[in-house]
Amino acid sequence: TSGSSQNDAIKRAHELLCRLEALCDAPSSSYASVIFALSISNRPSAAAVAEEVLNRMLSKLNSDQVLNAKDVSKAFSGCIAAYVKNHDAKNADKILYEMIKLYESDELGRDFVPEPRAFGTCIAAWSKYDPTAEKGNERSRRWVSSPRQRLHNADRAKSILVELERVARKEAAKNTNKYVLHATPYNIAILARVQTLETISPKTRWSNEGIILHAQSILDHMEFEMGVAADPYTYSILLNAWTKQSCPGNEKAADYAEELLRRRIEDVDISKIYSDDDPSAKTVDDVWPNVKHYSSVLKAHANCRSPAGARKALSLLSEMEKRFYDAKVISDEDDDADFHVDQKDAAKPDLVSYSIVIDAFAKQKQLPESSSVAFRLLRAMEE
């Protein structure tokens, strides 16, 4: 469906809802459906119309009509999404807190529970909110230029995450297992915090380190206090942040990156000891840390441009090779009889991994082993 015909259909749906309201008590599902349609509309006025429809729906709380709690929850999520589509974090935030207020009032009973995606959508809106960006110019929204605005965005994202956790704890107290938190909202909050980093320099080195450690504390909180499992993207955000801070004179950033990587490696090793899962039941996507995680840390050590950094990178690459060699096969389907590579439950070094370490030693010609290491790695790449 083209954009214009889609908008016409959404406008028609809203008109039909208005006619239905004039004839009888429109069911709550009708309001939720129209709000969902408005949330995907390209019209700038769609979000305001969605809020108007939501308010008409909520006005029935004071009447004899019974609203379906799940429809109300979906309606709130749709209205938030409509404002987020317009990059309007402030109004999305306003609707979110109206939803939380209604939830805490228990007006709709225990069946009314805010959807986790509503919080995640609002956190995502704040992570890239820029009131100075030009309307309709997506390129101007890719990076928030003001450091103060980036800090405000990160703080708002974290405060919404706290509200999400509060709802999750309240639902857990009801002995319901329906409200499950995932890594996505935490990832967005971590990314928002990392985006407050300044360009690396001797003046910003220590403040940037504190910012990344603050972001990493969100990972600690989600795993150890909330019991929410991290995913590959969680680690990618933090490892990339440490890698960008690594430079000559700041080897500590590379060490922090490797420390974080080893945290995940240890988790994997422990889970293999206590897990009875069949390795062949895993898929390639289940295997992490993946090669990109390793490459981030290799790059962090290489960025130090020091003999110690080059040797640390080589040590990690050698460990990566050994782990892959010792790993169990998780897929041995012979899709191509002429060319077949077994998939294992460990990351395999790739061309990028080897190139990073070779380049690190090439820049340390004073090391006696430089040429032999480069030759050995070139041979390994060919195998």
Side-chain angles (χ1 to χ4, degrees):
T1 305
S2 65
S4 59
S5 58
Q6 181 189 65
N7 287 330
D8 288 341
I10 294 170
K11 181 181 179 181
R12 181 62 177 157
H14 184 219
E15 290 172 351
L16 288 172
L17 174 63
C18 293
R19 290 176 62 184
L20 182 61
E21 287 176 308
L23 294 171
C24 62
D25 288 332
S28 53
S29 58
S30 299
Y31 291 96
S33 297
V34 171
I35 291 173
F36 173 77
L38 288 164
S39 72
I40 60 175
S41 172
N42 294 322
R43 287 182 174 171
S45 61
V49 176
E51 183 178 357
E52 180 193 339
V53 174
L54 176 64
N55 289 333
R56 297 203 317 254
M57 181 186 193
L58 296 177
S59 68
K60 295 182 179 295
L61 287 171
N62 300 320
S63 67
D64 295 332
Q65 184 178 350
V66 178
L67 293 178
N68 182 284
K70 291 183 179 179
D71 288 335
V72 176
S73 183
K74 290 178 181 177
F76 270 108
S77 296
C79 190
I80 290 169
Y83 274 119
V84 171
K85 191 174 178 66
N86 282 351
H87 309 286
D88 190 345
K90 287 187 175 181
N91 274 313
D93 197 284
K94 180 189 72 173
I95 300 299
L96 178 75
Y97 278 88
E98 286 178 8
M99 177 177 64
I100 294 171
K101 184 178 178 181
L102 180 60
Y103 169 70
E104 292 176 341
S105 72
D106 285 329
E107 249 185 287
L108 283 170
R110 62 183 293 137
D111 288 336
F112 176 66
V113 183
E115 294 182 333
R117 64 172 174 159
F119 293 87
T121 304
C122 208
I123 292 171
W126 276 112
S127 70
K128 49 190 176 183
Y129 177 65
D130 187 356
T132 65
E134 298 176 24
K135 290 186 177 180
N137 187 350
E138 294 304 316
R139 181 171 295 182
S140 69
R141 297 182 183 278
R142 292 179 183 175
W143 177 247
V144 182
S145 57
S146 166
R148 180 177 294 181
Q149 184 64 50
R150 293 201 302 270
L151 180 60
H152 176 71
N153 291 352
D155 290 340
R156 287 301 308 139
K158 188 172 182 180
S159 65
I160 294 170
L161 190 61
V162 170
E163 293 295 335
L164 172 60
E165 291 178 341
R166 196 158 60 86
V167 173
R169 289 191 179 99
K170 189 171 180 179
E171 288 303 302
K174 297 177 183 177
N175 295 320
T176 60
N177 298 321
K178 296 179 181 179
Y179 210 82
V180 180
L181 297 183
H182 298 286
T184 301
Y186 289 93
N187 291 346
I188 303 170
I190 290 171
L191 180 60
R193 185 61 59 184
V194 166
Q195 286 174 343
T196 65
L197 291 169
E198 294 296 322
T199 303
I200 183 65
S201 71
K203 291 183 178 179
T204 62
R205 172 182 168 183
W206 297 112
S207 60
N208 281 353
E209 180 180 306
I211 289 170
I212 304 177
L213 289 174
H214 185 174
Q216 199 161 306
S217 71
I218 300 176
L219 168 63
D220 297 337
H221 171 72
M222 68 181 278
E223 286 194 322
F224 303 138
E225 295 181 37
M226 298 303 297
V228 178
D231 63 17
Y233 188 51
T234 317
Y235 276 73
S236 292
I237 297 168
L238 292 167
L239 290 174
N240 287 335
W242 284 122
T243 299
K244 289 178 180 179
Q245 297 304 305
S246 177
C247 61
N250 191 19
E251 292 84 359
K252 190 177 180 182
D255 292 337
Y256 272 128
E258 182 163 346
E259 183 181 311
L260 180 62
L261 178 69
R262 292 198 176 282
R263 166 174 166 172
R264 173 59 190 172
I265 292 173
E266 289 173 6
D267 288 344
V268 171
D269 290 344
I270 292 172
S271 67
K272 286 180 180 179
I273 294 172
Y274 292 100
S275 176
D276 295 326
D277 293 341
D278 181 5
S280 63
K282 290 184 177 180
T283 65
V284 177
D285 292 336
D286 296 326
V287 177
W288 68 283
N290 55 41
V291 66
K292 291 182 179 179
H293 295 138
Y294 277 98
S295 293
S296 290
V297 182
L298 293 173
K299 183 67 174 174
H301 285 308
N303 284 348
C304 297
R305 295 178 179 268
S306 65
R311 285 169 172 161
K312 287 178 181 178
L314 176 62
S315 176
L316 181 61
L317 179 63
S318 299
E319 181 183 337
M320 187 181 179
E321 289 177 318
K322 184 178 185 304
R323 289 182 68 84
F324 181 77
Y325 179 80
D326 295 338
K328 296 180 180 178
V329 174
I330 62 174
S331 173
D332 56 0
E333 295 179 3
D334 197 0
D335 296 327
D336 189 337
D338 296 327
F339 182 78
H340 173 68
V341 177
D342 287 338
Q343 300 292 346
K344 295 186 174 184
D345 64 345
K348 181 183 180 181
D350 63 2
L351 181 64
V352 173
S353 308
Y354 286 109
S355 297
I356 291 170
V357 181
I358 290 172
D359 184 62
F361 274 89
K363 292 173 180 175
Q364 302 300 323
K365 295 180 181 179
Q366 72 272 29
L367 289 176
E369 71 269 29
S370 289
S371 58
S372 61
V373 168
F375 182 72
R376 199 276 287 177
L377 295 179
L378 285 170
R379 290 288 300 273
M381 289 169 61
E382 295 172 355
E383 294 177 357

